[in-house]
Structures are given as structure tokens and as C-alpha cells.
Amino acid sequence: MTNDHLVSPSILSADFGNLQRDIEMLNNSEADWIHVDIMDGVFVPNISFGFPVAEVAKKHATKPLDVHLMIVEPDRYLKRFAEAGAAGLTVQLEACPNLHRTVQVIKELGCRAGVAINPHSPVSLLEDIVIDLDVVLVMSVNPGFGGQHFIENTYKKVAEAKNLIERRNSKALIEVDGGVDKNNAGKLYAAGANVLVAGSSVFAASSPSEMISMLKHA
Ligand code: DX5
Ligand code: ZN
């Protein structure tokens, strides 16, 4: 079994009235990580959920929580999300004036360190931080909402990220987030992606766990 093709379903699209049921479905699926989207209404024009929901996810999940912080000043909350059970913490490059320090703190907390770049941010901005990263997250939509259209320029950015990671001898995985579905998953893996986040394509499917398998083996 290859370790290269991971799927991280986003509970942003789960049924919050049945969150335990949906997380148990993920536990019993081929999902590798569980993606937890935190939005503050400032960095992005939407508010998702905070610590209580992340803690419920942790309580029921048997898979690592992949926490994506779409918030300003993430440094203020890294420790709390680590305590809430995050296995990985991904911050947005655009929200971090002292990104190197932020990444070191995430690692000191014992979490996998990720940096996400928005569609307008070039991969080259990661040149001097990629060696310290466990995850490079390429946003394939503008963050803030599930169910948006995939931006085609993402394939090029994934290839650029792969090139940068190899050139700089980094071990970072490339994660893609936004508008991922069975039509683009194979092409994203082919471009160099290692981890695909999928919200609406999984939870709107008639069989979410079959959709997860389809994405993983795309
Ligand atoms: C977008 C979030 C995503 C979102 C993806 O702002 O970061 O993780 O849940 O949802 P889909 O897969 O529906 O685009
Ligand atoms: Zn996300």
C-alpha cells in the first residue's frame, strides 16, 4: 500500500447534528486524516467552529486530526489546538508575519507543521521555510467556504511545490484543499500531491466512504 495517496475528508461538510456518526463513518473508511477547518470571520469571510467541536472530533476520531487554521494571529491558539488533539497544525502563510517562529512553535508542541498558501500566493514564498515543513498545503479555492469551484492553476502550483521540495531536500507532503473531487483527484496526485482534502464531494456522495476510496485510488 502506497503512503503517497492520502485523503483527509473535511468535517466542515459533515452533519453537525450527527457529528459522532459522521466521524465514525470516517473511522471505518479509507480516510487517512480528518481535516478540521477553523475559520474566524476575519481572515476569511466565514465562521466555522472552534474548540468544543474540535474536542468532539478528537473524542471520537481514531485517525489523526489535520487542523487547518484560517485565522489571524494563529500563534495565540496553537497550544490550545494542540491540547484539543491536533496531530497536524496548518497555518496560512498570509496570516503569519513571523512564519519561521510559528512553525518552530508548532513543532515544539509535537504537531506536524503545515503552511497553506492562498491561490494568489506564489510557491516561491516557501523557498526559505520549506525545509522546516511537514506539509505544504496548496489552496485550490479561496478559503472560507466548502463547495467552491476548483481553480485550475493549482496543478501548476502543485508541480512547482514538488520541485521546490525536491530541490531543497525537504520531506514535506503536498496537500491540496478546495473543490477536490473524483474528476481532478488523479490529476492532482499525478502533479505531485500527496494528500487530498475533500469536503462536499465526500459528504454529498450517496456513499461517502466509497467516495473516499475512489479519491484515494484515483
Ligand atoms: C475551504 C476549506 C476546505 C473546505 C473544502 O476554505 O479550507 O477545507 O472544507 O471543502 P470542499 O471540498 O467542499 O471544497
Ligand atoms: Zn481546509
Side-chain angles (χ1 to χ4, degrees), residues 77-94:
Y77 300 106
L78 296 174
K79 187 159 183 280
R80 281 201 64 189
F81 279 109
E83 287 167 356
L89 281 170
T90 295
V91 294
Q92 289 279 155
L93 172 130
E94 301 82 5

Side-chain angles (χ1 to χ4, degrees), residues 13 25 29 32 49 86 92 111-112 120 124 145 180 199 201-202:
S13 298
M25 177 278 291
S29 76
D32 297 280
F49 50 76
Q92 289 279 155
C111 296
R112 200 164 34 226
H120 73 278
S124 59
F145 303 92
V180 172
S201 65
V202 165

Side-chain angles (χ1 to χ4, degrees), residues 2 24 80 97 132 175 193:
T2 172
E24 283 168 358
R80 281 201 64 189
D132 296 295
E175 185 169 13

Side-chain angles (χ1 to χ4, degrees), residues 59-97:
K59 184 173 169 202
H60 299 294
T62 57
K63 301 188 176 182
L65 296 189
D66 172 34
V67 176
H68 179 193
L69 299 177
M70 288 161 279
I71 63 175
V72 296
E73 299 184 37
D75 307 77
R76 295 170 61 186
Y77 300 106
L78 296 174
K79 187 159 183 280
R80 281 201 64 189
F81 279 109
E83 287 167 356
L89 281 170
T90 295
V91 294
Q92 289 279 155
L93 172 130
E94 301 82 5
C96 298

Side-chain angles (χ1 to χ4, degrees), residues 54-187:
E55 283 159 3
V56 167
K58 178 61 188 170
K59 184 173 169 202
H60 299 294
T62 57
K63 301 188 176 182
L65 296 189
D66 172 34
V67 176
H68 179 193
L69 299 177
M70 288 161 279
I71 63 175
V72 296
E73 299 184 37
D75 307 77
R76 295 170 61 186
Y77 300 106
L78 296 174
K79 187 159 183 280
R80 281 201 64 189
F81 279 109
E83 287 167 356
L89 281 170
T90 295
V91 294
Q92 289 279 155
L93 172 130
E94 301 82 5
C96 298
N98 300 293
L99 184 60
H100 184 271
R101 177 187 295 146
T102 303
V103 166
Q104 305 315 316
V105 171
I106 293 172
K107 292 172 123 173
E108 281 161 19
L109 289 167
C111 296
R112 200 164 34 226
V115 170
I117 55 170
N118 271 345
H120 73 278
S121 294
V123 168
S124 59
L125 291 174
L126 299 173
E127 185 83 37
D128 290 318
I129 192 71
V130 74
I131 189 68
D132 296 295
L133 300 183
D134 300 301
V135 172
V136 168
L137 193 164
V138 178
M139 287 306 300
S140 40
V141 296
N142 287 292
F145 303 92
Q148 300 183 82
H149 279 295
F150 178 83
I151 297 173
E152 296 285 320
N153 191 48
T154 306
Y155 300 115
K156 187 199 84 169
K157 289 180 76 172
V158 168
E160 287 171 358
K162 185 176 159 73
N163 187 279
L164 173 65
I165 286 165
E166 284 173 3
R167 192 161 46 77
R168 287 283 183 153
N169 269 321
S170 166
K171 292 193 166 55
L173 297 176
I174 300 173
E175 185 169 13
V176 178
D177 184 4
V180 172
D181 60 22
K182 60 182 184 342
N183 299 314
N184 52 32
K187 216 170 145 187

